[in-house]
Amino acid sequence: MSIFIPEKHWWRDPLDKDEKVWLAIALTTSIVLTLAMPYWHVTQKQNPGSEYYKIKPDTFDAATDRFIQQYGVKDEAGAIKQEGGIDVVAPPPGDVFVRGQQFKWSPVLKLKKGSEYRIHLSSIDVLHGFSVQPINMNFEAVPGYDYVLKVTPTTSGVFNIVCNEFCGIGHHTMVGRIYVD
Amino acid sequence: MEAVFRTCPVTGLKVERNAETLIMFNAVTSIVFLLVGGLLALLLLLTRWQAVHLLPADFFYRLLTLHGIAMLVAWIVFFEMAVLYFASAILLNTRLSVPYLAWGQYGLMVVGAAITAVTILVGQADVMFTSYVPLKAHHMYYFGIILFAVGAILGVCVFFATLGAARHEKTYVGSVPLVTFGAIAAAIIALLTLAHGAIVFIPTWLWALGVIPMMDPEVYRLLFWAFGHSTQQINVAAMISCWYLLGTLTVGSVPVSEKFSRSAFTLYILFIMIASEHHLLVDPGISTAHKEWNTGYFMHLAVLASMMHAFSVPAAVEVAQRKKGYTKGLFEWLKRAPWGDPGFSSLVFSVVGFGFLGGITGVIYGTEQLNIIVHNTLRVPGHFHATVVIGTSMAFMGITYYVLPLIFRREVMFPGIAKLQPYVFGTGMFVFSTAMMFVGGFGIPRRDWDITGAEAPFPVAYGPTADLALAVMAVGGLVAIVGGAMYILVAVSTVAIGKKINR
């Protein structure tokens, strides 16, 4: 009984056939699962990137501001257009900045289907969760780290960036937007 | 303090008074926290059910923080202290070593939990269970957690001291029982885990006090999960010890192979606690190779251990049942099992829920690529409510039905309610967890007061299917809360006014 002292030399008892078979099945499953990740990483296209750089939050903040100034969508008066109080940017393929802060994702991005972008994702205050809906892709925005996500939009439409890492009492008001056409 | 013993008429084990008293205090306190956490669960559930949306935003986040602390920390760890004292002093027929340290454990954990809970309730720690920096709570929040952890370390020390004393005083000959072996695995993991807890919480506390600069947020995340996930492995090891214990208490099962089961526990000690990077699969700061090595190799060797237990626990029950003569066909042993014994039905729910619902989803969600669609959605709490609630909590609930007569020496009150309780709670939790994982598949975030974007610059919609699934989740959760209330009713009334046995 499992609450009493086992019989002497319990470690010499041989395993039953049932146990051996199960052990083989379980071990095989574990090995297959372990190998699945690197196999998929090498052969398939959808993987979390491992390109990142350490960056000071204010440096990233300034870089995002420059990015907005450079590629902001201007109206007739020359001011950058806003949506929901957030600057709208239509960048060429290449480097794109996404800045998380309490409680705002900025800028609003207008991207082209089929073009490749390098999204620089970071936060300038606390942790934020970069969750693109409705396609449901989720990444972590960490202050002090510039996380580079290589993205090629394959469907056009309207996408929300929902914050899904708790960032304070206004967490649920933190929704940004990406347009793909 | 002199050791005073009595002999248990059911098991023949010698029960020492200090050990017995401390088991009672820890068990009762854990149930008090379960009650608190359960009431919070009701409020949170009625808020996340978007159609009802009960609490205001600030209270939702505040109470969600407290729900995590009350359930995942207080209810489970207090109960584990009771399990450790039981598996050492009682199962080895000995006295509890250094009982005043054990009282120190109890006192520090109560004070620590109270400080943390009050800090959260007064609105000074809206940081969630994870308290990721740079989000900052009042320094008393971290201080309470540190006190609690120090208390837990004392408890583990008492456990090891008791084992040492038992060996020294030769109160048993040979190897320790399997349940004690499992508890040793839990205690070893606990010591290493609590060391990680100290590494992460002491600097964070000092930072909140303004003494030292902030820890790097990504380093915090890595260390926090070295603590936070490994804590769950203490629960797993304790839970599986309880599975073996329940198997013995309910049908008299004997481990089919001591070697097999003990090897599996050893695998936990060696591997499971190292695997914590599956929380960081979509984070910057760690290379892909490192993440894959950590979540692949280390995690799956621990999964192997769980699969071994998942075989040997039911196998032991089957063997015991067949020995009783239930040998017809493949499943007579199962049909004739004591389904009316809440200890047994809790065991079955715990094994099936932990394995099939919690374990399998955990392995899937911990895959590097799949984690992209899982991270921080409701799939995650769906998974861990299956492991921690259906798995660990139901195992502990099942044990309670035996602790009440054997340690508290009182007849279980409302036996009819007790008989039904695991079915109500287990079914509710199955529906709740499954629906939560399903709804997470739509991308609905966890820890989110409002999913419609009503106060955000842009509206968000997840579609009618998601709304329906949220309602199913809520109904399942409500049923589970009824089941939890039944458990608390039976346990509290038995302890308070249950009929005393042979005093």
Side-chain angles (χ1 to χ4, degrees):
Chain A
M1 288 201 177
S2 52
I3 61 170
F4 296 122
I5 308 298
E7 281 173 31
K8 265 192 174 175
H9 308 308
W10 51 265
W11 60 88
R12 284 193 204 148
D13 286 345
L15 285 185
D16 212 50
K17 191 183 149 216
D18 293 348
E19 281 144 18
K20 282 186 186 154
V21 169
W22 178 251
L23 197 57
I25 294 172
L27 192 60
T28 312
T29 311
S30 302
I31 291 169
V32 168
L33 286 170
T34 300
L35 295 179
M37 277 191 265
Y39 171 77
W40 190 273
H41 200 100
V42 171
T43 59
Q44 305 293 325
K45 282 184 183 162
Q46 189 167 301
N47 295 293
S50 59
E51 184 182 353
Y52 66 88
Y53 305 95
K54 295 272 274 182
I55 189 169
K56 290 215 169 72
D58 27 347
T59 315
F60 187 85
D61 193 25
T64 312
D65 281 339
R66 273 200 306 279
F67 167 71
I68 292 171
Q69 288 308 321
Q70 198 172 358
Y71 300 114
V73 180
K74 310 254 168 49
D75 59 15
E76 294 84 19
I80 295 173
K81 271 192 190 170
Q82 290 200 324
E83 258 191 54
I86 306 169
D87 295 326
V88 181
V89 172
D95 291 311
V96 166
F97 287 78
V98 173
R99 172 177 59 195
Q101 69 194 93
Q102 285 170 328
F103 301 102
K104 186 166 123 182
W105 287 113
S106 55
V108 168
L109 291 173
K110 290 196 173 229
L111 305 180
K112 292 262 180 262
K113 190 175 149 181
S115 302
E116 194 180 304
Y117 298 90
R118 283 161 50 83
I119 295 182
H120 295 264
L121 174 68
S122 191
S123 158
I124 57 167
D125 42 41
V126 301
L127 292 176
H128 296 286
F130 177 81
S131 174
V132 183
Q133 300 298 343
I135 50 165
N136 192 22
M137 309 278 278
N138 306 282
F139 297 93
E140 196 81 15
V142 183
Y145 291 83
D146 172 2
Y147 195 9
V148 181
L149 306 170
K150 273 184 223 145
V151 175
T152 307
T154 52
T155 39
S156 48
V158 182
F159 301 92
N160 285 318
I161 312 174
V162 176
C163 178
N164 70 2
E165 185 68 82
F166 176 74
C167 58
I169 298 295
H171 169 52
H172 50 274
T173 66
M174 188 166 166
V175 179
R177 190 154 268 193
I178 298 175
Y179 294 96
V180 176
D181 54 25
Chain B
M1 262 185 270
E2 207 175 322
V4 184
F5 290 93
R6 67 176 173 88
T7 303
C8 174
V10 180
T11 55
L13 289 165
K14 273 163 73 187
V15 180
E16 193 236 349
R17 189 180 289 165
N18 274 324
E20 189 177 56
T21 316
L22 275 153
I23 290 171
M24 286 184 190
F25 269 83
N26 280 297
V28 168
T29 311
S30 75
I31 290 174
V32 170
F33 279 103
L34 181 69
L35 174 64
V36 173
L39 289 173
L40 297 174
L42 178 62
L43 297 172
L44 297 170
L45 185 72
L46 292 177
T47 308
R48 285 242 54 173
W49 189 359
Q50 195 73 33
V52 181
H53 215 48
L54 180 72
L55 294 172
D58 50 352
F59 263 87
F60 171 77
Y61 293 124
R62 203 159 290 162
L63 298 186
L64 185 53
T65 308
L66 187 56
H67 172 71
I69 297 285
M71 292 300 216
L72 205 51
V73 177
W75 141 250
I76 285 183
V77 179
F78 272 110
F79 204 97
E80 278 165 354
M81 290 298 138
V83 170
L84 285 186
Y85 296 153
F86 175 81
S88 56
I90 311 257
L91 288 186
L92 298 181
N93 284 311
T94 188
R95 67 194 161 79
L96 198 65
S97 290
V98 273
Y100 54 88
L101 261 195
W103 284 110
Q105 166 266 315
Y106 179 74
L108 280 177
M109 278 174 51
V110 168
V111 172
I115 289 176
T116 300
V118 169
T119 314
I120 296 168
L121 277 178
V122 297
Q124 293 295 313
D126 298 326
V127 291
M128 294 291 138
F129 176 73
T130 42
S131 58
Y132 292 135
V133 302
L135 222 49
K136 194 195 264 182
H138 190 274
H139 57 82
M140 290 307 270
Y141 171 85
Y142 309 105
F143 182 65
I145 289 178
I146 292 168
L147 282 189
F148 188 92
V150 172
I153 291 174
L154 289 184
V156 174
C157 291
V158 171
F159 170 75
F160 281 119
T162 305
L163 291 184
R167 174 137 289 236
H168 183 70
E169 291 165 12
K170 297 197 170 56
T171 61
Y172 70 99
V173 187
S175 306
V176 297
L178 180 60
V179 172
T180 309
F181 191 90
I184 293 173
I188 292 172
I189 300 172
L191 275 188
L192 296 159
T193 298
L194 290 166
H196 282 112
I199 296 172
V200 74
F201 277 107
I202 292 174
T204 309
W205 174 53
L206 294 174
W207 162 67
L209 279 169
V211 179
I212 57 168
M214 187 183 78
M215 193 186 282
D216 181 283
E218 195 58 32
V219 173
Y220 178 97
R221 271 171 69 75
L222 182 66
L223 289 175
F224 179 86
W225 286 114
F227 155 77
H229 200 89
S230 318
T231 319
Q232 303 321 307
Q233 314 318 330
I234 311 171
N235 301 342
V236 171
M239 170 190 76
I240 288 173
S241 300
C242 288
W243 286 356
Y244 286 111
L245 182 56
L246 278 171
T248 298
L249 293 172
T250 55
V251 298
S253 71
V254 180
V256 282
S257 163
E258 292 277 352
K259 183 161 68 177
F260 192 74
S261 301
R262 286 172 199 239
S263 307
F265 275 122
T266 312
L267 279 178
Y268 279 150
I269 304 175
L270 293 177
F271 294 105
I272 207 160
M273 47 167 301
I274 313 172
S276 57
E277 279 175 30
H278 57 277
H279 290 266
L280 315 176
L281 286 171
V282 293
D283 274 37
I286 299 170
S287 74
T288 299
H290 201 283
K291 286 176 189 172
E292 286 189 353
W293 171 252
N294 184 284
T295 42
Y297 173 65
F298 286 133
M299 192 166 86
H300 291 136
L301 277 176
V303 168
L304 172 67
S306 290
M307 287 173 82
M308 288 165 76
H309 290 300
F311 173 87
S312 68
V313 172
V317 170
E318 178 177 351
V319 169
Q321 285 289 93
R322 282 182 186 275
K323 270 196 187 140
K324 286 181 194 157
Y326 304 131
T327 50
K328 242 186 280 157
L330 269 180
F331 292 112
E332 198 202 13
W333 65 274
L334 194 60
K335 229 189 309 184
R336 296 293 193 89
W339 292 100
D341 177 345
F344 184 79
S345 50
S346 296
L347 170 66
V348 174
F349 271 106
S350 180
V351 172
V352 175
F354 181 86
F356 286 93
L357 208 50
I360 290 179
T361 57
V363 170
I364 295 169
Y365 297 174
T367 306
E368 186 203 4
Q369 293 81 7
L370 294 175
N371 196 255
I372 296 175
I373 61 169
V374 169
H375 184 69
N376 275 354
T377 67
L378 274 178
R379 276 183 191 273
V380 177
H383 150 72
F384 70 67
H385 278 84
T387 55
V388 181
V389 186
I390 310 179
T392 310
S393 293
M394 285 202 77
F396 290 176
M397 286 175 174
I399 286 291
T400 310
Y401 295 112
Y402 284 87
V403 169
L404 291 173
L406 297 180
I407 300 288
F408 287 86
R409 283 180 287 167
R410 286 175 190 269
E411 269 178 31
V412 174
M413 297 269 291
F414 309 115
I417 293 180
K419 204 170 160 178
L420 273 179
Q421 186 271 330
Y423 293 96
V424 177
F425 187 75
T427 310
M429 280 313 299
F430 257 89
V431 173
F432 173 82
S433 300
T434 311
M436 203 178 209
M437 288 189 261
F438 179 76
V439 85
F442 292 87
I444 297 183
R446 63 188 291 201
R447 297 172 164 178
D448 196 349
W449 175 70
D450 174 52
I451 55 165
T452 63
E455 296 170 18
F458 307 103
V460 184
Y462 295 95
T465 319
D467 292 337
L468 180 68
L470 274 178
V472 173
M473 176 187 103
V475 171
L478 289 174
V479 173
I481 285 166
V482 172
M486 288 161 76
Y487 167 76
I488 290 171
L489 172 73
V490 171
V492 171
S493 59
T494 303
V495 169
I497 52 169
K499 198 174 142 209
K500 288 187 183 169
I501 303 170
N502 62 25
R503 278 214 192 212

